Amino acid sequence: MHTATEERLIRPAKNIYGSLRLPGDKSISHRYGMLAAFAEGTSRFTNFSTGADCASTLACMSALGAQVNRREDGTVEVTGVAGKVNQPSSELDCGNSGSTMRMISGLLSAQQGEFTLIGDESLSRRPMKRIQLPLESMGARLTLTEGHAPIHIHGSQLKAIDYTPPVPSAQVKTCVLLAGLQTPGTTTVRESIRTRDHSELALRAFGANVERSVDSVSITGPQTLKAIEAAVPGDISSAAFFLCAAALFPGSQLLLDSLGLNPTRATLLDVLTSLGVQVAVLNLEDKHSELVGTVQITAPPEGLGSTSVTGSLAAQLIDELPVLATIAPYTRGGIRIRDAKELRVKESDRIALVVQNLRAMGAEVTEHEDGMDVPGGQQLHGATIDSGGDHRIAMAFSVAALRATGDSLIRGSESAAISFPEFFDLLDFIAER
Ligand code: S3P
């Protein structure tokens, strides 16, 4: 069981007002950090994610021989191993980070050496067969512990494959591509539902040749990577909490600048639009093929409408579903979520925890194996929230608490630092009380 260490009191707010620039995107920071550590030369990143997950990636890559330096001005400097990692002296600790564990496994399977990857209690429960299957069909030698971490990898020369993951997953896709990067021949990953494409874009930014079609991505190895300099776009999955908070208050004003708006990540903006929120996107720029821009939203005076998130939408919105579910009671028509079974194998069983905590706040909600129905027109009351040590649950219920009657207590609030250490300070900054 996770033991919650910190509790945070959240008082209701009257409005949301402010202008923010958010720390760098977690998914992009993982990839930039990992590729820089594997590349030749010294890369420099501004606005690198401040979350503990990306620190886990950097610590693992440092144990593998990369030189990592966080300068006083916040710039992260990474000098890479030029394609050949060192044998680490101990286990590689991925902390709470599934992205770190799954992506590094692909990278290391094609290296020489013995590697053991471990994680915290939550990560040690998460499914790892999804990377073992494709890597073993490439000839990799890796053993899991009853389908989970610890993962032991005996690195070896691999062979290229053509693979279609049974469950859409950017982490699995990246794992296979990072193995393919080092493997003679063309490795292809096919996907029926398009997952976030940061790896494809980052690999190209580091000089690799990656081919894409509508539903596949291919890499022909072996290829080498060259250092880059980049500003990491603001994290739209972190922004989701503030965007949803602002959507709850007619008359709110929220402007987020330098926000990552990669189309494979920006689905929340469409969903907010379908709920009646006005979304303006300004100053669009392209940074290493990642779209970056300013987002300004205006909540509808008559309140939020209703929406349904199913099929490919659910997959693309997977990290934003908890917060969307927590604002659903305050809509007029409710929110229906289906095809989101993957939520059950994230940092926690996010369907069970969202349902449990919504009920603690007095909401009516119907749980389904792959989602939930949250009727609208409900006024919630403050409650004690069990975050389950899951950062997105802690932050999502802090948002629900802003519109509740009475105060709420978020147990395990320290987990926000996994992706967004600044969350509570920034929430206090934009919440008018
Ligand atoms: C991520 C992919 C998603 C997402 C996770 C980050 C990534 O997971 O939920 O937070 O950076 O590739 P899956 O690949 O398991 O869908």
Side-chain angles (χ1 to χ4, degrees), residues 26-28 30-31 99 102-103 126 130 168-172 174 195-196 198-199 315 318-319 342 346-347 350 392:
K26 178 159 90 76
S27 291
I28 297 175
H30 276 304
R31 285 153 173 87
S99 302
R102 295 190 179 124
M103 300 196 304
R126 297 182 64 186
R130 53 183 66 191
S169 163
Q171 293 174 359
V172 172
T174 306
T195 63
R196 61 192 72 194
H198 305 301
S199 298
I318 199 79
D319 292 343
E342 274 292 293
K346 293 293 179 186
E347 286 84 330
R350 287 182 173 162
R392 295 204 200 278

Side-chain angles (χ1 to χ4, degrees), residues 7-23:
E7 292 181 344
R8 186 97 188 187
L9 188 80
I10 306 286
R11 284 180 294 126
K14 290 199 193 79
N15 200 2
I16 297 291
Y17 185 88
S19 166
L20 297 174
R21 174 173 291 192
L22 297 185

Side-chain angles (χ1 to χ4, degrees), residues 6 25 75 81 94 103 118 123 132 145 149 176 180 182 186 198 209 341 355 362 366 384 386 408 412:
E6 280 174 31
D25 185 86
T75 306
V81 296
C94 303
M103 300 196 304
I118 58 167
L123 182 54
Q132 186 184 33
T145 314
V176 175
Q182 308 168 67
T186 301
H198 305 301
N209 184 19
K341 208 170 160 200
V355 169
T366 309
T384 297
D386 172 13
S408 295

